[in-house]
Amino acid sequence: MTAPCILVVEDHEPLLNAIRMVLQRAGYTVLTATDGQKGLEVMERVRPDLIVADIMMPNMDGYEFYQAVRARPEGLTIPFIFLTARTTREDILRGKGMGAEDYLTKPFDPEELLVAVRSRLKRAGEVQQAISSEFDQLKRQIVNILSHELRTPLTYITGYTELALEELHSLSPEALQQFLEGIRHGSDRLNRLVQDLLTVIRLDTGQAAAEFRLLVHPHENFAEVVRRTVQRYESLANQNGVTLEVRVPPTLPPVPLCEPFFTDALGRLVDNAIKFSRGKGKRVVVDVDVAGDWVEVGVNDEGVGIRPEEIPHVFERFRQIDRERMEQQGVGLGLAIARELVRLHGGDITVESAYGVGSRFTIRLPLNPPLADR
């Protein structure tokens, strides 16, 4: 295995050489620099596994160097040890308050330095292993979901197309219509998948935020926007034996809104509420209320509910609750997208749920968002 690489930044060269010797004898690879700026130059070539840095240095002191390291994506997880003669409580608290992993004072004991280095490297390794394990699990989950969501609609499309071509001359109009509906079902499902992935890209690249700033304006008839959005799902509700209700107060103040983004978010919540309200005679109720400087839109269902331990995870990307049991369609992006679209408005979505009873998802939008959000 490659020896861990440690960057030592210290302007007092005799001490710098002493630290280097101690660490090299312990089996570490050591890089050195005499101030923070030179330390950053070293990091342009090599990413160290740990940094030991003095505080009082010319050109760029240790605090500035620390902030510059943490400002880099690759520097966020590098353990950082301050080594300094400054022993006042304020100095120590400042270093620890900035997030440095350790703080050793001069004159240092070589064994104390080695203990600090070993413990911080060990901890960093454990954290990295945990992150890698979680990331690998997420990758497997994404691959499984995407492969299922791609394969299933493609099976509809290719299967019905092949049948139609093979039996084209003997097909009745009714059979042909059934085949075409199967093809449309598969293509609609593929289209939803593509649109969701494109929306995620727009959110991550900032394109959605730019669109929001162009389109947001105080909407005078918020109630009508809610009613219109819910009405789009009446056919789906009827197919599932679900009754849709909208409850809106007679008057509402103007709501700063990017209508396409809001209706997208609300529509996803209504769609979910209908799909998870299993059984005839269930209701989905969408209500609107004003609470102080906020307008709240609640989507209430009488569905399967969510287990308490799953509630903190429902808005995570590619997260699906009880997929094996429920086998719902989608890749687990709907709620994540809905929340991010609402957060562009300066609002949020919250959830309350009782397992086996139903859920309430609440969109909260500010009536007076900060100027920067408009």
Side-chain angles (χ1 to χ4, degrees), residues 4-242:
C5 177
I6 300 175
L7 172 60
V8 181
V9 185
E10 166 65 62
D11 65 320
H12 188 261
E13 293 204 26
L15 181 57
L16 177 64
N17 291 331
I19 296 173
R20 175 170 53 193
M21 186 177 300
V22 169
L23 294 174
Q24 285 177 338
R25 285 177 177 173
Y28 298 111
T29 299
V30 182
L31 304 173
T32 61
T34 54
D35 62 50
Q37 190 59 53
K38 290 185 174 69
L40 294 177
E41 293 171 5
V42 171
M43 292 183 64
E44 294 291 340
R45 304 188 301 272
V46 181
R47 180 193 180 277
D49 297 299
L50 182 142
I51 296 172
V52 178
D54 188 18
I55 290 180
M56 296 297 292
M57 297 184 293
N59 300 325
M60 177 185 284
D61 68 20
Y63 294 135
E64 294 170 326
F65 175 55
Y66 174 88
Q67 292 173 329
V69 170
R70 289 293 189 250
R72 301 181 174 201
E74 71 275 13
L76 286 171
T77 58
I78 299 175
F80 201 103
I81 298 175
F82 278 129
L83 180 65
T84 180
R86 306 183 87 176
T87 58
T88 66
R89 175 179 170 81
E90 291 75 15
D91 290 332
I92 294 174
L93 289 178
R94 180 181 177 187
K96 291 184 176 181
M98 292 175 70
E101 279 69 24
D102 216 330
Y103 198 112
L104 302 180
T105 57
K106 304 174 187 176
F108 72 92
D109 177 70
E111 190 57 34
E112 183 184 7
L113 173 64
L114 289 176
V115 167
V117 167
R118 288 173 188 143
S119 65
R120 297 310 169 189
L121 286 173
K122 181 176 182 291
R123 177 58 180 159
E126 292 169 346
V127 170
Q128 187 58 48
Q129 185 175 1
I131 292 173
S132 297
S133 175
E134 185 176 343
F135 184 63
D136 288 342
Q137 182 180 357
L138 177 61
K139 284 194 296 184
R140 288 193 297 271
Q141 183 182 8
I142 292 172
V143 169
N144 289 338
I145 292 172
L146 284 179
S147 62
H148 177 272
E149 287 302 316
L150 288 170
R151 189 185 305 113
T152 302
L154 283 173
T155 300
Y156 275 104
I157 295 170
T158 57
Y160 280 114
T161 300
E162 289 173 1
L163 285 172
L165 290 173
E166 289 173 2
E167 304 177 20
L168 183 61
H169 298 293
S170 60
L171 281 178
S172 66
E174 292 78 14
L176 180 59
Q177 180 176 351
Q178 180 184 353
F179 287 179
L180 291 175
E181 287 176 353
I183 293 171
R184 183 176 64 181
H185 178 78
S187 63
D188 286 347
R189 188 164 167 178
L190 268 180
N191 183 60
R192 287 195 298 272
L193 171 60
V194 172
Q195 291 302 319
D196 280 356
L197 292 174
L198 289 175
T199 299
V200 168
I201 292 172
R202 288 164 57 211
L203 286 164
D204 288 350
T205 59
Q207 181 181 346
E211 293 173 16
F212 173 83
R213 289 190 291 270
L214 287 174
L215 297 175
V216 65
H217 68 278
H219 210 292
E220 299 290 340
N221 200 346
F222 183 68
E224 181 59 29
V225 174
V226 173
R227 289 193 188 94
R228 216 168 38 234
T229 303
V230 175
Q231 286 172 358
R232 297 205 315 254
Y233 295 87
E234 285 184 350
S235 175
L236 177 65
N238 292 333
Q239 293 171 23
N240 287 270
V242 173

Side-chain angles (χ1 to χ4, degrees), residues 350-362:
T350 58
V351 58
E352 302 169 78
S353 186
Y355 188 65
V357 178
S359 303
R360 174 183 172 86
F361 286 81
T362 304

